[in-house]
Amino acid sequence: MVVHNAEGWLPRQLVALAGLNPRPGRLVAVDSGSTDGSAELLAKALAEGVVDDVITTATQPFGAAVAEALHDQEPEWIWLLHDDSAPRRDTLAHLVEGAKQADIVVPKLLEPKRRNYPETLSEVGQSITKGGLRVPLVEVGDIDQGQSESAEVLGASTAGLLIRGETWREVGGLAPEVERHRDGVDLCWRANAYGNRILTWPNAALTHRRAGHTGERESNEHPHVADRLAALRVVGARGASTAGLTLASVARAFGFLLAKSPSQAGAELKALRRYQSSAASTASLKDRLPAEDHTPPEFIPGRLWPVKHWLDKAGASITERYRDFTEPDTSIDELTGDDFTGVQNRRRVINPLTVLLSLLLVLSLIAGRRLYGVGDVAGGGLLPAPSTLGEAWQAYLTGEAPWLGIAASASVLGLGQPGWFTVAALVLTPVFAAWTMWRLIRRFEVGKPVAAALAGVWAVAVVLLGLVTAGDVTGMTLAVVGPLLASSLISVARNEAGGAERLRAPAVAAFWLLIVSAVWPTALILATVAGIGWIVRDRGRVVDVAVAVLPSWIFLAPWVPALVRHPGRLLTGVDPLAWPDYHPASWATVFGRILPSGLPLWANVAFFALLALVAAVALARLTRRAWVGVVVTVAAPLLIGTLLSRLVVEVDGGSARALSSPWALLVVAGLIAPIAAVQWGQLGMRRATSALTVAGLLAAGTWAVVGFNGPVGKAPTALPGYVRDVTTSTRDSRALMMELTPNDTVAWSVVDARQPQWGTGERNPAGPFAEDFAAIVNAIASGNPPDDLAERLRINGTSHVWVRGFGADHRVGVDNVAGMVSAPADDTTIVWTVSGLVSRAWLQADEDVEPIVDAQVPSGSGERTLVIAEPADANWRATVGGVELERADAVEERLAFALNGASGELRVEPAPHWWRFALHLAVFVALAILAAPTMSGPTGARRGLE
Amino acid sequence: MMRRILISAVALLVVAGVAAALSLISPMRRPAPAAVDLPRAAKLTCSLPGDVVVEGEGTPTVTPVAGGDSVDAAPGTAVAASTPVNVRADGDIAAGVVVAGTPRLFAPCASPTTTGVLLIDDPATAELLLTNADAAEASVDLRLIGPDGELSPVGSRGIAIAPGVTRPVALSILAPEGPVAVVYSTSHGRVAAVARNVEGRAARVVTPTDLREEHLIAGVPAGASSVKLLVTNPTENRVNVTTTAMGPGGSYEPASTTGLTLAPMTSQIVDVTADLSGEASTLRVVGDGELGASVITQVGTGAPTTLTDSASVTDLMGAAPSGATLQLTNPGTAAATVQTSEPGGEARTPVTIPAGATLAVESTARLRVTSETPLVGAMVVAGDEGAVVVPLAPAAGTPASPGTTVLDPELR
């Protein structure tokens, strides 16, 4: 038994040795340079006869210490013991039994026993990959149920290894080149190479503390250095290439960095450097190997073992998380509730969450019946989705608002079809909102029935507030993500982990805050203020707050200048200019009538009045402090939201009404909070909550009947197909649309291949030439179109004018303008085509104008300019034949590029903001790394000790 | 517990009550769309030959309808035109033709339209000139409404007019007896319509008006020897007509028009000469349905002059032969302070016009009139040989309203 600075656990080891039956013939302890109280303990053990001899040496490797103990003797059997590997009373007996069949007997190593926990496996033999990875032959941490059977193996830890004396001599004992760790594997592997039989004998068990691995035994350097160096040397001596090992080590070091363990990464690289600089040792070890290797090849794992192992671990992790997700821990409420008081343990067959989600899913699918089928879905605050996933990403890359990237990413959930994702989001938002609220409420150990009821209340409130039927994308997002953010913040508050593991909860909170802030920037302001307040109260939370809040600021940083220019945008949601000017309700605002939901007002009044009543009943059961807190939590957002609903704010390109839905959701959350806080067991609350559940069911049923009767619905384009074909062709032209509505208002818009769609409500929806188009619209509407109408349209890249509902005078007025060719689309609609094949891009040489209709720039000479129907300062780029063109002086205040003699295929498009994409990606990757499980190697905390 | 529940409920009620009170605050309105600089390219068509007089902004040009070189027409000067012409400008303009002959006549130029009505007291001596000043062919349908109902003469439908062509239509054939209202409408294109006496008869011009419920007809000259109101009801319902005369002393209802009612599809002429007592006047004609109205006035022994509806605006302009008298009428309910000036010249002393009254003052050849309240007016040159009445036209800054235009991203 080799001992080194083992004062902390040596007494237990010695007690175990004292109890051995049978004892070994001679038990020699080698004190390898201990500087603590180990020597005294050993002396005492010697005096008490626990050990037969104590040899004190300078600090030296395990193998050298063993050699010192053996001198030149060759006992029949050698039993190697660590100072932290306590054998059971009968361990040696079992090993001897196994020795009848093997040259080296490998015992079963168990993890230290924990109170009230069963024994768990640490190791029953091991192997090693060609890259030096340790390959356990049992699942570390599995409960020891005697499931392991005796088997031949490649190697094992030296702890408890019983070696035939002849074999020891034959293989030359432990190799000094493998100083610590893996020395057992090397020994056994060499024994295998000589044709010896290495056999595990699970009946023989030792409790292996692994003090060296876990860092309990103090060391000057990271324990991984020695372990990895030994592994490299073991496999290097057996033919592994240095280049391959270098590559693998660097990759592993990078992986350790991703797993937030820089010390482990440093140790990996340090071991690699030492290995590379000690080729002589590797060669020496190699010389110890026999000329002919008898090692059974099946003992060595295949090359793909690391990949399979990683996938296996990842799959197990996912499975475990899914189980945690679907089977939350039993709450105190349940353990003390009626369910556990009966004589019989009744098993709940149907989970309330399953019932809730199933019911909501069915009702939502019925309610969304008008949205299914071919065609865009839009209306209210919801603009049409881009046609393809690529266009969604293009909108993000060329647009300004960061939420477009999140929307493009989320579109993957719609099988890559943003339109499908839109429909799914509209229909399923109440379902997901219920689910996330359920998870939040369950964090407070609220019983499942109450949690399900309140999650249902939340979902119904989302519907009655009109978030889905009015296309309030911000409200929909907050309804789903808000509870997740709240839940993650609770995790941050309760976070007691240390080291890198401590960053996980704030990183998750940062992710959800980022999503929320992207759609509602006010949230970031509020979170920042709250975070600063938290830091002032508890300075130990600086890192938590920084990790939770800063990523959102970094993510939104490119957008901040726009927010500073238009601070009103902070009070609005996504695409603020997409909203028609809905006149805010008056008193009905208090009942959640903040948007035209298309649902009957009585449903709002009845539901929210009942919710407030139940909340009042619940409030009465709270402590005074909690009572005040809840009332303030309800009052503040209600009053702020009501006031803001009266406001109109300036945003980029126009003005919009402040968004009320976030505040309304906060009010609903505030009303739910006291109900959740009161225990289900109270009879009054049970009745009240049941009544609320019934009201919620009735409201949800009403929605199922009424369906999407608000602004959101199928929104087919009114433009004839031939116009759309032109606007989406290489001509990339615009179409001006005008309609005289029944209330004598002239509605108008400008349509092209990129608008209207997600994000175009972040600036003037008519595009950069809104004022020009407004003048044209006014002129046409006043019956006095200018003679140069066609030219005005041409320089704006407008190929068609679509007009509906106007009288003959207006139509004839345009008809008589030169260059406008009319064609009736239906009884009330005329489409004028601007003659001359108008395109967004044209060639200009002196006064000659030649539209580019097929994306091909013809060859030519002289001073030619490519003019784009975009503002002179527009961030567009143009390439001809793959060569990017340089900008030229603006032509008629339009963007121009110097073309000269260039010819070939023309590509003109908005310039993507790649640097912003890189920044956003970096933030997400950083958050993913921070939120990912921290590497819990041997030096990490063990589950049982957490 | 009940007490605590009540307190909690009251607390929430108070919060809701405060919120409800806040919700009664009138929401801010979205600002109206920014004012846009409307393209003011104007195009008027003058169907009759004569001296074209233009007043207004920009640099007007006069171009023959049938094609040809353009001639610049500086405001205040006359351009001789022997054929129908188009007058174009980059701003708002008013133009008319001082028709040569005896007596001298003034015929306002007008934008081509798709519909209109000409009220003619003696169709036997008149012909209709339909000018297509546009680049596309026009097709015109005529409806003739006489005193006993609608006439259905052959040749009144589908009158095709090629671009740049002026086509005369002899009303003496279509409607030998008057009075008659000629309601024209186009199925394609648009036309400029005007009626005039056939050659050999005293020169006379009738310009079109719109069908509407209210007409303000300004420019009845002082000393008129004959003033007749000609009204037509083109609808299928009876229309009751109320007429108000606005003279120097204020407004009153002419006795001759009391109880005036028009049977469906009929035209009627009423002599109000005695009611006006030879005073410079403006007539307001209001019906309980759409109707057309004009006033036929005669001074001395000259040919009658037909007056039609004038625009009631705060900024007026006009140009007339020298010696004109300016007649301004305030159709509002409050007195109006009016500023007159010659374009480019100094403003004259403001004058006040009582509500519902007409004021006659000396005029210059070119005139700009501004007021805080809408006015109608005309420049009148009256003599023994008749009267030239030039109605004042809206000046720059009062373009036709496009109505409310709203950017609507849902339109796609």
Side-chain angles (χ1 to χ4, degrees):
Chain A
M1 179 179 72
V2 179
V3 177
H4 176 72
N5 288 343
E7 185 181 18
W9 50 88
L10 187 58
R12 186 179 296 237
Q13 173 78 1
L14 293 172
V15 168
L17 294 180
L20 279 173
N21 186 18
R23 283 174 55 82
R26 187 159 179 261
L27 211 162
V28 179
V30 181
D31 182 5
S32 176
S34 294
T35 55
D36 60 356
S38 299
E40 287 76 17
L41 290 171
L42 288 176
K44 189 177 177 184
L46 180 64
E48 293 175 356
V50 175
V51 296
D52 299 315
D53 193 8
V54 173
I55 300 172
T56 302
T57 70
T59 303
Q60 56 186 334
F62 184 84
V66 172
E68 186 115 5
L70 289 175
H71 290 291
D72 294 329
Q73 304 172 37
E74 183 183 313
E76 186 179 358
W77 290 92
I78 303 166
W79 191 28
L80 301 179
L81 286 173
H82 295 185
D83 56 15
D84 59 352
S85 56
R88 288 180 178 173
R89 183 181 183 83
D90 56 356
T91 298
L92 187 56
H94 287 300
L95 284 175
V96 171
E97 188 180 342
K100 295 173 184 173
Q101 305 174 34
D103 300 304
I104 298 178
V105 187
V106 178
K108 172 172 65 183
L109 299 181
L110 301 171
E111 293 186 318
K113 178 93 167 66
R114 299 194 298 267
R115 191 186 302 273
N116 297 325
Y117 277 81
E119 296 277 13
T120 53
L121 295 173
S122 175
E123 181 187 320
V124 187
Q126 60 176 277
S127 182
I128 189 169
T129 67
K130 291 177 179 174
L133 297 181
R134 178 180 280 107
V135 179
L137 301 182
V138 294
E139 195 65 39
V140 178
D142 268 4
I143 294 173
D144 178 28
Q145 302 175 85
Q147 69 270 44
S148 301
E149 294 182 352
S150 178
E152 292 184 32
V153 295
L154 178 73
S157 165
T158 47
L161 211 58
L162 185 65
I163 309 160
R164 191 185 297 276
E166 294 171 7
T167 304
W168 180 267
R169 176 170 45 79
E170 182 181 18
V171 302
L174 291 167
E177 293 85 2
V178 187
E179 295 184 351
R180 292 174 58 194
H181 310 295
R182 313 297 182 105
D183 44 359
V185 173
D186 175 69
L187 173 73
C188 294
W189 198 347
R190 273 187 284 128
N192 268 305
Y194 279 102
N196 292 292
R197 190 178 191 217
I198 321 299
L199 191 67
T200 62
W201 203 257
N203 288 339
L206 292 88
T207 298
H208 191 196
R209 194 176 184 92
R210 304 178 76 209
H213 278 279
T214 60
E216 283 185 283
R217 195 194 312 274
E218 289 185 4
S219 173
N220 292 332
E221 63 182 3
H222 198 286
H224 182 67
V225 177
D227 181 64
R228 185 58 184 163
L229 173 61
L232 291 172
R233 190 156 289 157
V234 167
V235 294
R238 288 165 174 85
S241 73
T242 302
L245 292 175
T246 301
L247 196 64
S249 289
V250 170
R252 279 164 57 82
F254 183 68
F256 289 142
L257 279 178
L258 291 183
K260 292 168 287 182
S261 184
S263 60
Q264 191 92 352
E268 178 79 20
L269 295 177
K270 192 173 185 179
L272 176 65
R273 282 197 301 275
R274 282 194 192 168
Y275 169 70
Q276 290 171 332
S277 61
S278 58
S281 297
T282 307
S284 171
L285 180 61
K286 185 177 181 181
D287 291 341
R288 295 178 183 273
L289 301 178
E292 187 178 359
D293 189 352
H294 295 286
T295 305
E298 63 268 20
F299 285 179
I300 312 296
R303 288 186 180 279
L304 294 179
W305 183 87
V307 177
K308 290 177 182 173
H309 183 63
W310 185 85
L311 289 175
D312 187 44
K313 285 178 70 175
S317 173
I318 292 171
T319 306
E320 185 176 351
R321 283 170 184 276
Y322 176 75
R323 192 167 57 245
D324 290 347
F325 189 66
T326 55
E327 300 171 13
D329 293 342
T330 305
S331 70
I332 291 294
D333 183 42
E334 288 167 315
L335 290 171
T336 57
D338 295 343
D339 292 349
F340 291 84
T341 57
V343 176
Q344 286 186 309
N345 186 12
R346 287 178 287 131
R347 182 167 177 261
R348 184 176 287 117
V349 177
I350 303 176
N351 188 326
L353 178 65
T354 307
V355 175
L356 171 69
L357 295 186
S358 302
L359 203 58
L360 280 174
L361 181 63
V362 170
L363 294 174
S364 299
L365 290 174
I366 294 172
R369 58 190 175 276
R370 296 196 185 105
L371 307 182
Y372 310 135
V374 180
D376 291 327
V377 170
L382 178 67
L383 289 172
S387 302
T388 64
L389 189 59
E391 289 182 14
W393 278 105
Q394 185 77 2
Y396 157 65
L397 290 172
T398 59
E400 294 298 327
W403 63 266
L404 288 166
I406 298 169
S409 304
S411 294
V412 176
L413 300 176
L415 302 178
Q417 294 293 324
W420 295 0
F421 168 71
T422 299
V423 174
L426 288 168
V427 173
L428 298 180
T429 287
V431 182
F432 282 109
W435 178 45
T436 57
M437 181 52 84
W438 157 278
R439 289 187 56 77
L440 172 61
I441 295 173
R442 291 284 290 161
R443 294 295 303 270
F444 297 98
E445 300 183 345
V446 175
K448 287 181 180 177
V450 176
L454 295 182
V457 165
W458 178 255
V460 171
V462 167
V463 172
L464 290 176
L465 289 172
L467 305 188
V468 288
T469 50
D472 182 357
V473 179
T474 303
M476 290 161 57
T477 308
L478 295 181
V480 176
V481 179
L484 294 174
L485 173 60
S487 182
S488 64
L489 290 175
I490 291 168
S491 297
V492 174
R494 295 176 178 174
N495 190 10
E496 293 179 356
E501 184 71 9
R502 183 179 179 79
L503 303 178
R504 293 185 61 194
V508 173
F511 175 78
W512 295 123
L513 179 61
L514 188 154
I515 304 290
V516 168
S517 303
V519 297
W520 190 47
T522 299
L524 184 54
I525 308 286
L526 297 177
T528 304
V529 172
I532 292 171
W534 198 10
I535 291 172
V536 170
R537 288 188 58 183
D538 182 358
R539 296 193 182 279
R541 292 293 185 171
V542 171
V543 175
D544 291 335
V545 172
V547 172
V549 174
L550 282 181
S552 293
W553 279 108
I554 297 171
F555 188 83
L556 298 185
W559 196 32
V560 168
L563 293 176
V564 171
R565 282 196 303 273
H566 303 283
R569 177 63 179 81
L570 290 169
L571 299 177
T572 68
V574 304
D575 275 337
L577 293 178
W579 287 98
D581 188 15
Y582 296 131
H583 197 267
S586 54
W587 59 269
T589 305
V590 181
F591 292 98
R593 202 66 169 182
I594 57 174
L595 293 169
S597 63
L599 295 167
L601 180 59
W602 59 259
N604 279 60
V605 174
F607 179 79
F608 286 109
L610 184 60
L611 175 58
L613 186 61
V614 175
V617 173
L619 262 177
R621 289 167 164 78
L622 297 181
T623 63
R624 184 179 184 82
R625 186 176 176 185
W627 190 96
V628 172
V630 169
V631 171
V632 170
T633 304
V634 171
L638 180 59
L639 301 181
I640 292 173
T642 306
L643 275 176
L644 287 180
S645 71
R646 314 285 106 181
L647 274 184
V648 169
V649 294
E650 290 295 320
V651 296
D652 187 11
S655 57
R657 294 201 177 279
L659 197 66
S660 299
S661 52
W663 307 100
L665 287 170
L666 287 173
V667 174
V668 175
L671 291 173
I672 286 176
I675 307 172
V678 177
Q679 292 301 309
W680 170 252
Q682 297 189 23
L683 190 59
M685 283 312 301
R686 178 177 294 196
R687 287 176 179 162
T689 311
S690 299
L692 200 55
T693 304
V694 172
L697 281 173
L698 289 175
T702 303
W703 182 48
V705 172
V706 175
F708 277 76
N709 196 32
V712 167
K714 282 284 180 190
T717 176
L719 284 176
Y722 71 90
V723 178
R724 289 200 307 274
D725 288 346
V726 172
T727 57
T728 57
S729 72
T730 52
R731 290 166 64 183
D732 193 19
S733 61
R734 297 181 170 96
L736 172 63
M737 303 183 73
M738 297 173 59
E739 181 175 15
L740 183 61
T741 61
N743 59 0
D744 285 340
T745 296
V746 179
W748 67 280
S749 71
V750 180
V751 175
D752 65 18
R754 286 172 285 274
Q755 71 178 34
Q757 69 173 22
W758 293 351
T760 57
E762 292 286 345
R763 38 82 170 167
N764 193 311
F769 302 123
E771 288 187 11
D772 293 356
F773 282 115
I776 292 172
V777 166
N778 279 268
I780 294 176
S782 65
N784 186 26
D787 287 347
D788 61 348
L789 175 63
E791 175 62 12
R792 287 169 182 259
L793 293 169
R794 185 192 68 77
I795 63 170
N796 289 335
T798 309
S799 60
H800 295 85
V801 178
W802 178 98
V803 175
R804 172 175 287 172
F806 283 94
D809 278 330
H810 291 85
R811 294 209 298 265
V812 174
V814 181
D815 269 341
N816 282 287
V817 173
M820 302 296 290
V821 181
S822 69
D826 56 43
D827 291 345
T828 59
T829 309
I830 299 284
V831 176
W832 281 278
T833 301
V834 183
S835 58
L837 293 176
V838 173
S839 173
R840 190 177 293 242
W842 65 87
L843 288 177
Q844 186 136 3
D846 296 328
E847 296 298 317
D848 295 334
V849 171
E850 181 183 351
I852 298 176
V853 298
D854 55 358
Q856 291 292 328
V857 176
S859 57
S861 59
E863 191 172 328
R864 299 192 305 169
T865 305
L866 176 72
V867 187
I868 313 297
E870 291 293 327
D873 58 350
N875 188 20
W876 282 52
R877 67 180 184 184
T879 59
V880 172
V883 179
E884 187 156 351
L885 300 180
E886 290 186 3
R887 294 204 174 205
D889 291 338
V891 175
E892 297 183 84
E893 299 180 358
R894 299 297 182 267
L895 177 64
F897 294 92
L899 190 62
N900 300 325
S903 62
E905 184 182 8
L906 172 67
R907 282 178 64 89
V908 181
E909 58 191 3
H913 304 303
W914 289 114
W915 64 270
R916 190 188 61 188
F917 171 69
L919 176 69
H920 288 175
L921 188 64
V923 170
F924 275 120
V925 168
L927 285 182
I929 292 172
L930 290 176
T934 304
M935 182 174 172
S936 56
T939 56
R942 292 186 179 184
R943 181 182 177 85
L945 302 176
E946 287 177 355
Chain B
M1 178 55 70
M2 187 56 68
R3 183 170 168 273
R4 285 179 61 89
I5 291 175
L6 278 176
I7 292 173
S8 301
V10 167
L12 291 182
L13 271 177
V14 168
V15 170
V18 174
L22 291 175
S23 72
L24 297 179
I25 298 173
S26 295
M28 291 171 64
R29 293 193 175 277
R30 270 188 178 180
V36 294
D37 188 14
L38 280 180
R40 287 187 182 159
K43 174 183 169 183
L44 303 177
T45 300
C46 310
S47 301
L48 299 173
D51 293 335
V52 178
V53 181
V54 183
E55 182 58 56
E57 296 179 335
T59 308
T61 59
V62 177
T63 310
V65 168
D69 295 336
S70 298
V71 178
D72 290 341
T77 62
V79 175
S82 57
T83 60
V85 295
N86 285 328
V87 182
R88 296 174 186 270
D90 292 333
D92 291 320
I93 54 172
V97 179
V98 179
V99 182
T102 306
R104 297 173 66 200
L105 293 174
F106 180 82
C109 304
S111 295
T113 59
T114 57
T115 61
V117 59
L118 295 122
L119 295 134
I120 300 160
D121 58 333
D122 184 11
T125 62
E127 66 176 355
L128 188 64
L129 293 179
L130 298 172
T131 302
N132 180 2
D134 291 330
E137 184 177 272
S139 179
V140 185
D141 296 328
L142 302 179
R143 289 168 59 209
L144 290 91
I145 300 171
D148 300 321
E150 184 174 4
L151 309 175
S152 301
V154 176
S156 61
R157 301 275 171 176
I159 303 170
I161 307 170
V165 169
T166 298
R167 179 165 176 176
V169 177
L171 290 176
S172 57
I173 298 172
L174 299 177
E177 295 182 1
V180 68
V182 181
V183 181
Y184 67 91
S185 61
T186 60
S187 54
H188 302 295
R190 57 184 181 174
V191 293
V194 67
R196 69 175 181 184
N197 272 0
V198 295
E199 287 187 13
R201 301 286 182 149
R204 187 175 172 197
V205 175
V206 177
T207 53
T209 184
D210 295 329
L211 296 171
R212 58 178 68 180
E213 292 185 355
E214 181 177 349
H215 295 255
L216 269 172
I217 305 168
V220 177
S225 55
S226 171
V227 182
K228 295 175 183 175
L229 175 65
L230 203 169
V231 288
T232 186
N233 174 12
T235 69
E236 295 177 347
N237 300 311
R238 178 172 290 276
V239 172
N240 298 309
V241 182
T242 303
T243 305
T244 305
M246 290 174 277
S251 61
Y252 56 94
E253 182 176 2
S256 305
T257 61
T258 304
L260 178 61
T261 182
L262 292 171
M265 309 297 284
T266 60
S267 298
Q268 193 173 337
I269 191 162
V270 181
D271 191 341
V272 294
T273 309
D275 301 308
L276 301 187
S277 305
E279 293 179 334
S281 303
T282 290
L283 292 184
R284 186 202 300 269
V285 183
V286 180
D288 55 4
E290 278 193 345
L291 77 162
S294 68
V295 169
I296 302 162
T297 179
Q298 187 173 10
V299 176
T301 58
T305 301
T306 299
L307 310 176
T308 55
D309 181 63
S310 298
S312 173
V313 294
T314 57
D315 197 354
L316 296 160
M317 65 180 177
S322 58
T325 300
L326 173 64
Q327 289 185 196
L328 289 172
T329 300
N330 173 13
T333 56
T337 301
V338 180
Q339 182 74 60
T340 62
S341 63
E342 190 171 4
E346 292 185 0
R348 295 158 68 178
T349 306
V351 294
T352 301
I353 308 174
T358 296
L359 180 69
V361 296
E362 186 182 347
S363 176
T364 55
R366 299 174 59 212
L367 196 66
R368 186 76 178 261
V369 179
T370 56
S371 168
E372 292 178 353
T373 57
L375 302 174
V376 292
M379 300 166 77
V380 179
V381 183
D384 291 341
E385 296 180 348
V388 173
V389 180
V390 181
L392 297 182
T398 54
S401 170
T404 305
T405 59
V406 178
L407 177 60
D408 180 8
E410 291 187 5
L411 185 61
R412 54 184 287 274

